[in-house]
Amino acid sequence: MLEVQVSGAQAPFIRSAPSGSRAGLTCGLTDPVGVDEPSPRLSWNARPAGETTVTVLSDGREVWRSSVPAGAHGVDVPAESLAPLTPYTWSVEGYATGAFTTGLRE
């Protein structure tokens, strides 16, 4: 089972992946709100066989993208890419999706 997580969030909770995503995926935290970590770490427990892409979106617009090498299971999002009190969705290309909302970030 694949699990995706956002660091700096509270209250772990497991849920099934949204319909249309690959079977067996789960989110380690359900839409965590108030992520105050300046550079949150997005992580997953699968190790894609090849290089993959992690994308962060806000209101359907891409705000950050990174290629991660084969076998990687996490990446830090640069603080300057995220605004305070903003909802984001993110995905590991072909493997998992998740969501989080930043906190005040002061």
Side-chain angles (χ1 to χ4, degrees):
M1 192 174 284
L2 178 64
E3 184 176 290
V4 294
Q5 299 181 336
V6 179
S7 68
Q10 307 285 323
F13 185 84
I14 304 292
R15 71 170 174 158
S16 296
S19 89
S21 60
R22 294 196 178 185
L25 303 182
T26 61
C27 293
L29 296 168
T30 299
D31 304 334
V33 175
V35 176
D36 281 323
E37 179 68 34
S39 185
R41 180 159 190 82
L42 307 178
S43 60
W44 50 95
N45 67 1
R47 298 195 190 254
E51 183 177 89
T52 191
T53 301
V54 177
T55 306
V56 176
L57 306 169
S58 177
D59 286 332
R61 288 172 288 189
E62 184 178 304
V63 297
W64 184 78
R65 172 183 292 255
S66 179
S67 292
V68 293
H73 57 90
V75 65
D76 296 322
V77 179
E80 61 273 6
S81 298
L82 305 174
L85 301 173
T86 304
Y88 293 95
T89 58
W90 65 283
S91 65
V92 180
E93 181 180 34
Y95 290 92
T97 60
F100 65 97
T101 301
T102 50
L104 290 174
R105 306 185 59 148
E106 292 183 17

